[in-house]
Structures are given as C-alpha cells and as structure tokens.
Amino acid sequence: MASLQFHGGTDENVGYAARDVDVPRVTQLFGVHLKIQWAIGMMPVPSLPAWVPDWLQSLLRLFTVGHCLLVLFISLHLGVLFCKTTLDAMPTGKLEDITDALTMTIIYFFTAYATSYWCLRSERMLRFLSHINHEYRHHSLAGVSFVNMHSSYRWFRSFTLVWLAACMVGTISWGMTPLVLRNRTLPLHCWYPFDAMDERFYSLVYATQLYGQIIVGAVFAYGGFMFVTISFLLLGQFDVLYCSLKNLDAHARLLAGESLQALSVVQRDLLLDDATSERGQYAVLQEHATDLNCFESTGRQQPLRLTKAAHEALVECVRLHRFILGCAAEMEQLFSPYCLLKSLQITLQLCLLVFVGVSGSREAMRVINQLQYLSLTTVELLMFTYCGELLRRHSVRVVEAFGRGAWWQHASAMRQDVLIFLVNSHRAVQVTAGKFYVMDITRLRLVITQAFSFLTLLQKLAAKKTVTGS
C-alpha cells in the first residue's frame, strides 16, 4: 500500500472527487478469476475461509484434488486416443483424416499440458495475485488531476467473462452437434479399443467427450484472460505512475498548504487548458480533475516544505515503478514457458484448421465448428501479442510523463534522483516465449507467416497426391 502522503496526507481511502467519478478501491481484483480457476480444476490447493470447519476443509481439498486429476486424465486420454487415430490414418494417405485427427491431438495434448502447468503453478499464482491486491495503487498521486484503477478493473473483469463464454460456446457447440442434428454419433471421431457405439458404452463415451470439450474451452480461456488481465492491470499501474509524475509539482504544492485559488490555477494550466491537452497520455485509464475541496475539508498533517514534499513524492513514484517492474518480472516467469508452447500450438493449429476448412467437406455444422475454432485461435494469438506490444511500448514513457509536469521547479532538490529514475525506466517491459522471442506484433506476423507456409506445403502434398492418384 502507498503511504498516507501519496493520498495527500489524509486517509488512504480519501476520495479525489465525487463517488460517481472516483469509485472506491476494490479489495479483491481477482475474485472471478479465482472462482473460475477452481471450477475448471486448476487449483489443487484452494484458499478456504477460516470459518470453514476442519473436516469440511479436508473434504473440499480432497474433492478439489480429485477434480484436478479427473480433468488431467480426460485431456490426456483423449490426446492419446487421437494420437492413435492419427497414426492409423497415416497409411491411408487421406490428408483430411490425418489433419483432423492431428488437430485434435494437438488441442488435447496442449490442454493436458496447460492443466498440469497451471496446477503446479497455482500456489505461486495465488501469492502473486495476493501481492497485487495488497500493493496496487488505486489512485494516482494526490494532485490537481487523477486517474482511478476502477475502469481497468471493470474492463478486464468484463473481458474475462466474455472470453470465457466465447471459448465455451465454441467448444461445446462442437460437442453438441450430434444432439442438434439428432444423429446417433460421437462428437469426436477417435479410436477406441472397444465399440464406442455400443449401447453399453455410448452414453459414457459421449459424456466424456462432451466434458472434454468443456475442459478445452475452459483451459484455453483461462490462459488468455489471465494474461490479458495482468497486462491491463500493469498498463493501468503505468497510467497511475505517469499521472503521478505529471502531478509532482501540484502534489508538492498541495502538501505545502497552498491556497485553493493557487491550486486551481495549476489545475487549469495542467489539465484544462487547450494548449496542454494531449491525446494518448494513458493506455487504459481516463484522467479527471481533482475536487480540491476534498482535501481542504479533510484534516491533513502539518504542511511540508515545497522541495521536501516534491522529493518525497518522487520517492513514492519510484516505489510504484519498482512494484510494477517486480510484477512484470513475475508475470514473465509465470507465462514465459506457457507462451512458448502456446505459440507453437497456435501455429500448427492455424495451419491445420485452415487446411481442413479449405480442403475438407462442406457440411454446414462442420464448417461452422471449424470457423469457430479458427476464430478463437486467431483472436487468442492477437490477445497475447497485442497485450505484449502495449506493455512494451507503454512501459518506456516515463520521460514523456515528466515533461508534462513542472518538476523542474524543484530540480535542485531531486535532479540526481530524476536522472537515476530515467535511466532505470529506459528498459522496456517484455513478455517472452521461453526467452526465445518477444510476444509482440512482430511475433503475430511471424506466426501467421509460418502457419500459411505450412498450409502451402500441405496443399502441395494434397495436389501431388491427387495427380498421382489420377
């Protein structure tokens, strides 16, 4: 948590404006995310409230571990079955059957990998999210303008629910196709060591495959919305930092006890004057004018010297910057191995889905399902690369933020600190895939290029087979 000085020397929950503009701090940013993680079987050690009885805690933990193992088993066994199906299809030379089976093999093996990966990293993820909840800055530095993290929270919470729903609809619709068409078939065509269409096994096999599709949708959604959530939270914290740097002089004047009239002049020059207005200052948050009467009517500490207040404000900004960089480093450690295999999986999946869509059968439900998978895969790739690009670009705008304020009026007291801060902020925040390459727009272009290169190769093989067969 920031010190009281960060909030104008008053209560840390002080409002900077009316509550419809300045919404209070959210105590649990990730409530929805943690519930989803537990529900989809990727939290083997849940964090339970203290009031839950010991016997019920033991029962819930046993159930949770069993659920995680069930999710992993279903994903893994379907991956093995589709692997066997792919091997059986290869001697036939039918590229459509091979690519169909290979696509599902990749999907289910990656689902098994993602499930086991996030289960093993769940405790570390919980500590990371708890650290963010406790330490994130809801407001920028108290001054004549401010930004508030609630809009970022509202956006990534809504995105989480929408993306989860989109992934679930896309995968469950595939599993529900036989029921919609009223065909007594299985949604997934893979090898079984027994007759899966037998009445004794059909219902169980169908339920298993349908649950497998639900798992695929949930697991794919989880990695995407967690990456986007943490990215937008860090972007919001950078916005808080940049607004704080812009208000260094105003903050110092506020704590030095200047009159409302003098602060109103600073506010007009800094925020409301057309000559100083600038578009694109912030990535996700919106700047508002501070209601200076909030600080006038609230009892503050004794006024500080102007230079001392400015220097201590800069120290608070440095602490916030260190917090952001620490979170970015932990995000890199958590997502780097995941992004490496995710990038490979998306490349192969894009190639195979496009090939099957171009060369496969034209059944209506099959085409719809293929388009859903292709759309979800493409959007997922865009999510990872676009958020990485935003973080990389927005993390090196400290110099611009300093230039918007009047910190130079106190340069004699903090020139050296500002220079050190600028040097430390010169390095961009990056999320890599296994330390091999950066997840940014360049990676988006390369993945699409690689996918269509493989597609061209597959089409040539299909054309060559057709010529040979004729």
Side-chain angles (χ1 to χ4, degrees), residues 42 114-122 125 222 334-335 338:
M42 290 197 292
T115 302
S116 57
Y117 180 84
W118 291 120
C119 281
L120 293 174
R121 293 293 185 102
S122 63
M125 177 67 84
Y222 177 80
L334 282 169
F335 281 93
Y338 179 81

Side-chain angles (χ1 to χ4, degrees), residues 57-345:
Q57 287 194 17
S58 301
L59 188 62
L60 288 173
R61 289 195 172 96
L62 183 62
F63 169 78
T64 302
V65 171
H67 184 211
C68 293
L69 292 176
L70 177 63
V71 168
L72 182 59
F73 170 75
I74 290 177
S75 304
L76 197 57
H77 103 273
L78 284 173
V80 171
L81 293 179
F82 273 111
C83 185
K84 169 64 175 171
T85 306
T86 305
L87 295 175
D88 289 344
M90 282 184 176
T92 66
K94 297 179 180 179
L95 285 178
E96 182 181 342
D97 294 342
I98 296 172
T99 51
D100 266 349
L102 186 57
T103 300
M104 300 309 296
T105 302
I106 292 170
I107 288 174
Y108 275 101
F109 272 133
F110 181 81
T111 302
Y113 162 75
T115 302
S116 57
Y117 180 84
W118 291 120
C119 281
L120 293 174
R121 293 293 185 102
S122 63
E123 291 190 44
R124 184 172 180 176
M125 177 67 84
L126 286 174
R127 290 195 299 270
F128 179 44
L129 300 183
S130 176
H131 174 65
I132 293 176
N133 266 321
H134 187 259
E135 296 293 336
Y136 87 97
R137 270 61 164 182
H138 181 61
H139 287 119
S140 57
L141 199 69
V144 296
S145 66
F146 72 95
V147 292
N148 181 302
M149 279 292 293
H150 188 76
S151 59
S152 177
Y153 162 75
R154 188 175 62 247
W155 191 94
F156 67 64
R157 186 176 183 274
S158 300
F159 174 83
T160 295
L161 297 175
V162 170
W163 179 241
L164 177 65
C167 290
M168 297 297 282
V169 169
T171 54
I172 292 176
S173 61
W174 190 303
M176 297 292 290
T177 299
L179 293 179
V180 173
L181 298 178
R182 296 183 179 180
N183 292 333
R184 193 177 182 279
T185 58
L186 292 172
L188 305 176
H189 303 290
C190 59
W191 175 87
Y192 280 95
F194 52 85
D195 183 9
M197 300 302 296
D198 190 292
E199 291 184 357
R200 294 173 297 172
F201 307 116
Y202 177 75
S203 298
L204 179 61
V205 172
Y206 194 106
T208 302
Q209 291 190 355
L210 182 59
Y211 190 47
Q213 287 296 101
I214 294 173
I215 292 170
V216 168
V219 170
F220 275 55
Y222 177 80
F225 69 62
M226 284 306 300
F227 187 88
V228 171
T229 291
I230 297 174
S231 296
F232 270 76
L233 194 142
L234 293 183
L235 287 170
Q237 289 295 279
F238 272 117
D239 286 348
V240 169
L241 172 65
Y242 296 157
C243 188
S244 299
L245 293 174
K246 179 179 177 178
N247 277 274
L248 274 178
D249 175 59
H251 177 80
R253 293 177 184 276
L254 179 67
L255 291 190
E258 288 207 6
S259 64
L260 286 181
Q261 291 79 6
L263 290 172
S264 297
V265 172
V266 176
Q267 185 178 63
R268 184 170 60 252
D269 293 339
L270 191 65
L271 180 65
L272 304 178
D273 188 70
D274 291 337
T276 60
S277 63
E278 178 186 348
R279 293 180 177 235
Q281 295 182 50
Y282 308 107
V284 294
L285 303 183
Q286 183 178 359
E287 189 176 21
H288 303 280
T290 302
D291 183 359
L292 299 173
N293 292 314
C294 293
F295 296 99
E296 184 69 15
S297 60
T298 307
R300 291 202 305 267
Q301 299 171 355
Q302 291 297 321
L304 300 175
R305 287 187 299 108
L306 197 61
T307 54
K308 178 178 174 59
H311 183 266
E312 292 186 0
L314 180 63
V315 171
E316 290 293 335
C317 291
V318 170
R319 289 174 180 166
L320 174 56
H321 190 242
R322 287 177 178 172
F323 164 72
I324 298 172
L325 294 184
C327 291
E330 183 65 11
M331 179 184 179
E332 161 72 5
Q333 291 296 320
L334 282 169
F335 281 93
S336 183
Y338 179 81
C339 286
L340 178 62
L341 287 187
K342 169 58 72 175
S343 182
L344 177 61
Q345 174 253 329

